[in-house]
Amino acid sequence: MLPLGAVLHRVIIAMIERHFDIPFVAGLALREKQIQQNYRPIIAVHKWFARRPGTLFRALLLSEFIDEPVSLSYYRGQSLKGTRIFDPFMGGGTTMVEANRLGCSVTGCDINPMSWWVVRQELGSLDVDEYVREGMRIRTALELEVGELYRTRCVRCGDKNASAKYFLWVKTQQCTECGEAVDLFSNYLLAEDARHPKNVIVCGHCGELYETDDRKKPSPCPSCHHKHTTRFTAKRNHVLCRHCGADNQYCNGTVPEHRLFAIEYHCGPCAGTKGRLFKRPDAADFAKAEDAERRLRKVRTRFVPEDAIPNGDETERLHRWGYAHYREMFNARQLLGLELSCRLISKVTNQSIREALATNLSDLLRYQNMLCRYDAMALKSLDVFSVHGFPIGLVQCESNLLGIEHPARGTPVGSGGWLNMIEKFAKAKRYCDRPFEIRMERGRKVEVLMPGEWIGEQRNGSRPLEIREIDLRCGDATEAQLGAGEFDAVFTDPPYFGNVQYAELMDFCFVWLRKLAGLPHGEFDGLSTRHANELTGNVSMGRDLAHFTEGLGATFRKSARSLKAGRPLAFTYHHNRLDAYMPVVVAILDANLVCSGSLPCPAEMGASIHINGTGSSIVDTVFVCRKTGRVPRRWLVTSPSELADLVRENVQQLIAGDVKPTKGDIRCIVFGHLARLAVWDLRHNWRRQEAATTKLARATEWIDDFGGVEPVILALGDDFRAAAAHQTWTVCESPNTIDEVPF
C-alpha cells in the first residue's frame, strides 16, 4: 500500500492549473459561441441567458480528472463514473449537462424555478420519435383551427394560399391636434439589399412598398410619386403629424395601438424567385386580423395569464409604455393561437411528452409577442430577449405561429413557429443520445462522435439499463443539505453583480408555463420567479454590492465545506468594473479557499446585439480555488510590471486560439489576476466575522496598495494600445521544471 502522502499526490496530480490549455480551449470556446446551437444542440431546449461554452466546462472537467493535457483527452470518449459534481448556480445547466455526459453524478441548485425546469427538460428521458409525432399532431390541429389566419394572396402569381411568414406592425397614436392617426416609424426602410436584391422602402405618404437602389437617398414612390422624406419619422419621443404638422409626444403611459403595414410571405409556386416576397396588406389580410379579434372575444381563455407586471429594473420600461399586464404584450391572433396550443398540450396523456411540449410553448413565447422586432438586414424576427431586456421598438414583427415547411427540403422557413420549436427540440434531445464535438480539419468542421458518452438520467435503448444520478433542486444553495466532503468538484457560473435581471425576464415565460405545467410541481407554487435572495444588483429590490457579497460568500462557504480535500471550486466571472470583483475576493476568502489559478477564456459572442460595438468584454476569468494544493511560483507576482508580463502572456495565448482581445477584454484579464493576488496576500489575516462592507473595503485597499489597474495597463504598452477599443496568442513555452508553491 502506498503511504498517505503518495495517495494524496496521485489524487491531485491531474489538475486544471497544469492541464488546462488556454489556446486550445479558447479556440474551442470562441468557435462554439459563434453558433452555439451547432456545437451544443441541447441549449435549444429553452432559452437561457449568457450560457457559458460547454466546451469550456468539458475542458475544465477533463483537465481536473484526466492526467494528461486537455488537448489530448478532449476528443476521446471519456468516463468519470464515480465522480460527484456540484453546481450551486446551475442556470441553463452547462455544468450539469457536461458533467452528466461524462458519467458524473450531478447535484445542482438554482433559486429560479425556470432554471430548474429547463435543466430538468435537458436531462430528462424522452421518446423523441413519439414526441415529434405528438408535436406534429398538435400543429396539424392548429392548422385546422387557425391556419386560414396565416394565409395571404401572393401579389406575383395570385395564389391565395401563400403563407404569411412575418406580419409587420407599426405603433400609432392619435394626433393631439387633428385627431388623425400618426405612424411611429423610426425610418421607412423595411429591408436592406443584403439578403434581398434591392432595398425595400415603405412610402410614408401612401403606405405602398417599393424597391430602390440607394437606401440613403431613396427614389420617389412609384405609386404616389411623392419624394422620400424623413421629416415625419419618430425620434426622441417626438413625431410630427403628417396631416397637420403638430409635434406629438409618444411613450405616454398608455398601451400603444398597432397598424399592420407589411407582410413578408412564402409562396410555393414562386419559391424559385430571387429574393424575398413582400406585400402591402390587402383587405383580406386586415379582415383576418379582425376575425382573430372576434374569435378571441368569444373564447373563454383558461391559459392566457391575467398576471400584472410587477415593478422591476427591467419591467419599468414596460410600465412607461403603458403595459400593466403580460397579456397586453400580445395581439389577438397570438393570444388565440397560444390559448388553443395550451388546450391541445394539456390533453396529451404522456407526462414527459406533455411537459416537453409545454416547454416548447414557453420558448415559443419569445417570438409570439408584440415586442419582437424585424431585422431589416437579416430579414428575420428578433426574439423579445435578443438584447437581454424588454426592448420597445416602434416596428413589431409577428411570426407565423404554425411555422412554414419548405416544400422541397422539408425544413422550416423563417422562425418563431411550432415547426421550428419541434425541429430544434428534437435535434437537442437526439444529441443527448449521440453527443459529438466539432473539430476543425483543413478548415472544415467535422463532427466527432464521443463513444460511450450520453446525456440524461438513463441511456435510451441500452441493455442492461444504465442510470445516472441527477439531483436538481429549486432553491437557495445556501440552504441545501450537503454532506461534508461529498463532492469531487464544484463548477459553476455565478451571477455577475448588476447584470441581467433573469427573473424579471423569465417571468414573461413563467406566467404561462405555471398555468400549463405547474400544477403537479411545487416549484411552481409562486406567482413569480423573483426571490429576495437573488444575487444580482437590483435597484427596485434594494439589492446592493454588500447583499451580493454576503450571498456569494454564503454559497461559497457551503460549497467549500462539501468538497473533498484539495479539490476545486472553479467558476467563471467577468465584469466591466473592477469593484464588481471585490465580492469575489471576499467570498473566496470567507470560504477559506485560495485562488490557485485565474485563466482567461472567451465566454460570449462579440457579435451579440447587446455587446457588438461596445467596450464590453467577452473574456471570462476562470477562477480555480482550493483549500490546499500548489500554485506556480511565477504566477505570484508582486508588482504591476510583473503582472503585465503575465497578462501579456495571456493575451498571446488567446491570440494563438484565434481570439483578438479588445481593450475591455485585457482589462478584465487584469481584474481577474488582481483578484487572485488579493486573495493570496489577504488569506493569512482575514477576519471573516467582519461586516461585508468592511471586508469589501479591505479588498479594495489591497488593490489600491498594489497600484490598481492603470500601472499594469501602462506597463503593457503597445500590447494594450494596439488592441481594439470595441468588440488574435504565440504560445509561451512553459518551463520544463515545475516550480510551485504549496498552500
Side-chain angles (χ1 to χ4, degrees):
M1 178 178 289
L2 290 170
L4 179 60
V7 173
L8 287 176
H9 177 71
R10 287 183 61 188
V11 168
I12 66 171
I13 192 69
M15 294 170 59
I16 295 167
E17 298 87 332
R18 293 180 182 176
H19 295 319
F20 190 84
D21 184 324
I22 292 174
F24 176 77
V25 180
L28 291 172
L30 181 69
R31 288 192 294 271
E32 178 186 336
K33 288 303 295 185
Q34 304 312 305
I35 316 177
Q36 195 164 10
Q37 204 162 297
N38 287 358
Y39 282 75
R40 290 295 187 272
I42 196 167
I43 73 166
V45 162
H46 196 285
K47 169 72 177 180
W48 195 259
F49 303 95
R51 291 179 190 259
R52 281 17 228 167
T55 47
L56 167 59
F57 278 78
R58 176 179 176 84
L60 288 169
L61 284 155
L62 296 179
S63 296
E64 179 65 22
F65 296 110
I66 304 294
D67 192 12
E68 63 182 1
V70 70
S71 57
L72 298 179
S73 63
Y74 191 87
Y75 285 108
R76 295 201 303 266
Q78 304 285 359
S79 175
L80 300 179
K81 188 175 182 179
T83 305
R84 302 185 66 83
I85 303 297
F86 177 54
D87 185 348
F89 303 108
M90 66 181 173
T94 301
T95 299
M96 297 289 97
V97 168
E98 296 301 322
N100 167 267
R101 172 180 161 177
L102 290 168
C104 302
S105 297
V106 296
T107 300
C109 290
D110 204 288
I111 207 165
N112 191 312
M114 283 297 293
S115 164
W116 170 81
W117 180 270
V118 170
V119 181
R120 185 170 173 271
Q121 290 298 309
E122 290 171 342
L123 298 179
S125 298
L126 183 71
D127 183 331
V128 181
D129 292 336
E130 184 59 32
Y131 154 78
V132 171
R133 283 192 288 270
E134 194 65 54
M136 296 306 290
R137 186 191 67 77
I138 285 177
R139 180 175 177 269
T140 300
L142 287 169
E143 170 70 41
L144 294 173
E145 287 276 357
V146 296
E148 179 60 28
L149 300 179
Y150 295 94
R151 297 193 188 104
T152 189
R153 185 182 65 84
C154 176
V155 296
R156 293 197 178 186
C157 71
D159 186 352
K160 294 182 179 180
N161 289 312
S163 298
K165 190 192 297 185
Y166 304 118
F167 300 97
L168 302 177
W169 303 76
V170 61
K171 286 182 170 58
T172 68
Q173 68 178 44
Q174 279 192 328
C175 175
T176 54
E177 292 295 323
C178 69
E180 293 287 343
V182 179
D183 289 335
L184 302 181
F185 281 109
S186 57
N187 64 66
Y188 297 109
L189 177 66
L190 174 58
E192 296 181 13
D193 57 358
R195 297 189 176 182
H196 187 71
K198 292 189 176 184
N199 302 289
V200 180
I201 300 293
V202 183
C203 177
H205 291 270
C206 70
E208 195 56 72
L209 309 183
Y210 68 96
E211 296 185 342
T212 182
D213 291 320
D214 189 345
R215 63 174 171 267
K216 293 184 178 179
K217 295 181 180 179
S219 55
C221 173
S223 294
C224 69
H225 308 295
H226 276 94
K227 290 184 177 180
H228 177 80
T229 177
T230 58
R231 184 184 173 206
F232 303 105
T233 54
K235 50 182 176 288
R236 298 191 181 95
N237 280 15
H238 287 267
V239 62
L240 296 180
C241 175
R242 180 175 295 280
H243 305 281
C244 70
D247 185 2
N248 287 262
Q249 281 190 302
Y250 56 91
C251 185
N252 54 17
T254 57
V255 177
E257 298 290 329
H258 292 87
R259 179 178 72 83
L260 180 64
F261 73 91
I263 298 173
E264 184 192 338
Y265 64 95
H266 176 80
C267 177
C270 301
T273 305
K274 187 178 181 181
R276 303 294 181 89
L277 297 172
F278 298 96
K279 65 175 287 189
R280 182 183 183 180
D282 55 33
D285 296 315
F286 291 119
K288 288 173 182 177
E290 292 169 1
D291 184 40
E293 292 179 3
R294 283 194 298 271
R295 291 179 61 180
L296 181 65
R297 285 194 293 269
K298 294 179 180 178
V299 172
R300 188 172 181 179
T301 59
R302 304 200 311 266
F303 295 98
V304 173
E306 302 297 335
D307 306 57
I309 302 171
N311 293 326
D313 288 7
E314 290 292 343
T315 56
E316 190 270 336
R317 183 185 297 109
L318 296 175
H319 290 153
R320 285 204 312 270
W321 277 90
Y323 295 101
H325 295 82
Y326 286 105
R327 69 172 293 151
E328 294 166 348
M329 298 160 71
F330 305 84
N331 69 19
R333 182 160 36 205
Q334 291 166 336
L335 290 175
L336 178 64
L338 292 169
E339 170 69 22
L340 294 175
S341 297
C342 289
R343 292 184 180 190
L344 290 165
I345 292 168
S346 69
K347 295 176 182 177
V348 175
T349 55
N350 183 297
Q351 182 179 345
S352 63
I353 293 176
R354 184 176 65 252
E355 292 187 350
L357 291 165
T359 305
N360 296 158
L361 182 123
S362 175
D363 206 32
L364 183 67
L365 293 168
R366 295 188 291 127
Y367 292 94
Q368 293 295 327
N369 65 81
M370 289 298 281
L371 266 65
C372 291
R373 295 161 297 149
Y374 187 71
D375 188 326
M377 189 275 287
L379 305 184
K380 66 177 184 178
S381 174
L382 295 173
D383 78 90
V384 66
F385 296 141
S386 59
V387 293
H388 293 182
F390 287 117
I392 312 292
L394 299 181
V395 170
Q396 313 303 159
C397 178
E398 176 193 357
S399 296
N400 187 313
L401 174 76
L402 305 171
I404 304 167
E405 185 175 17
H406 192 283
R409 295 192 293 267
T411 55
V413 175
S415 60
W418 265 110
L419 189 66
N420 308 81
M421 295 297 126
I422 295 167
E423 191 249 6
K424 73 185 184 75
F425 193 91
K427 183 178 179 181
K429 296 303 290 184
R430 288 195 169 108
Y431 168 80
C432 294
D433 294 334
R434 290 170 58 83
F436 57 81
E437 293 297 325
I438 302 290
R439 181 163 57 198
M440 299 298 295
E441 294 182 2
R442 299 186 184 91
R444 292 174 57 250
K445 294 178 181 177
V446 177
E447 283 189 8
V448 182
L449 291 176
M450 297 287 109
E453 295 186 5
W454 51 276
I455 298 167
E457 56 193 348
Q458 66 181 51
R459 188 171 191 173
N460 288 339
S462 66
R463 296 290 184 273
L465 183 66
E466 290 184 63
I467 296 177
R468 287 178 177 167
E469 183 181 355
I470 299 172
D471 182 4
L472 306 179
R473 308 180 189 184
C474 181
D476 190 335
T478 63
E479 299 173 0
Q481 298 298 312
L482 305 174
E486 179 179 352
F487 296 105
D488 296 285
V490 174
F491 291 106
T492 192
D493 173 38
Y496 304 157
F497 176 75
N499 208 26
V500 180
Q501 305 298 325
Y502 297 153
E504 291 186 24
L505 302 182
M506 272 301 167
D507 272 354
F508 176 78
C509 299
F510 180 73
V511 293
W512 288 80
L513 187 59
R514 67 182 294 271
K515 294 194 76 169
L516 178 57
L519 186 61
H521 305 292
E523 290 82 359
F524 280 10
D525 284 349
L527 298 178
S528 168
T529 67
R530 304 185 192 192
H531 196 286
N533 291 346
E534 282 180 286
L535 294 187
T536 54
N538 190 302
V539 174
S540 62
M541 297 187 73
R543 298 199 299 257
D544 58 9
L545 201 63
H547 168 91
F548 179 70
T549 304
E550 290 165 353
L552 192 65
T555 304
F556 279 15
R557 288 194 299 275
K558 170 79 76 167
S559 299
R561 284 195 293 269
S562 73
L563 275 171
K564 295 176 181 176
R567 284 307 190 184
L569 184 158
F571 64 97
T572 55
Y573 194 87
H574 89 249
H575 201 286
N576 297 321
R577 288 167 34 196
L578 177 59
D579 64 338
Y581 286 74
M582 298 307 100
V584 170
V585 174
V586 173
I588 294 171
L589 288 165
D590 277 358
N592 196 28
L593 294 169
V594 174
C595 187
S596 53
S598 51
L599 310 166
C601 184
E604 296 200 67
M605 184 172 66
S608 294
I609 294 174
H610 66 291
I611 293 176
N612 188 34
T614 73
S616 297
S617 172
I618 66 164
V619 173
D620 274 0
T621 291
V622 179
F623 289 96
V624 184
C625 308
R626 304 177 192 268
K627 289 183 180 178
T628 182
R630 295 175 180 272
V631 61
R633 188 180 300 276
R634 66 191 188 89
W635 290 359
L636 301 175
V637 298
T638 57
S639 70
S641 61
E642 291 177 329
L643 179 51
D645 289 338
L646 274 186
V647 174
R648 188 176 290 110
E649 179 182 329
N650 285 163
V651 170
Q652 292 302 313
Q653 290 169 318
L654 285 173
I655 291 171
D658 293 327
V659 182
K660 298 178 181 177
T662 65
K663 287 181 169 65
D665 295 329
I666 295 172
R667 283 186 172 275
C668 282
I669 295 170
V670 176
F671 295 164
H673 281 299
L674 285 172
R676 172 178 60 80
L677 293 168
V679 171
W680 182 263
D681 274 7
L682 291 170
R683 72 192 195 281
H684 292 305
N685 297 307
W686 190 249
R687 294 185 287 275
R688 296 168 187 80
Q689 70 280 7
E690 291 181 335
T693 51
T694 303
K695 290 184 286 191
L696 287 168
R698 287 191 65 199
T700 302
E701 182 182 7
W702 186 93
I703 299 287
D704 292 341
D705 289 345
F706 185 87
V709 177
E710 295 312 315
V712 182
I713 297 298
L714 186 64
L716 282 167
D718 289 342
D719 290 290
F720 183 79
R721 286 191 293 270
H726 302 108
Q727 312 282 355
T728 99
W729 282 13
T730 47
V731 181
C732 295
E733 293 294 331
S734 300
N736 292 327
T737 57
I738 299 175
D739 186 10
E740 298 174 327
V741 178
F743 59 88

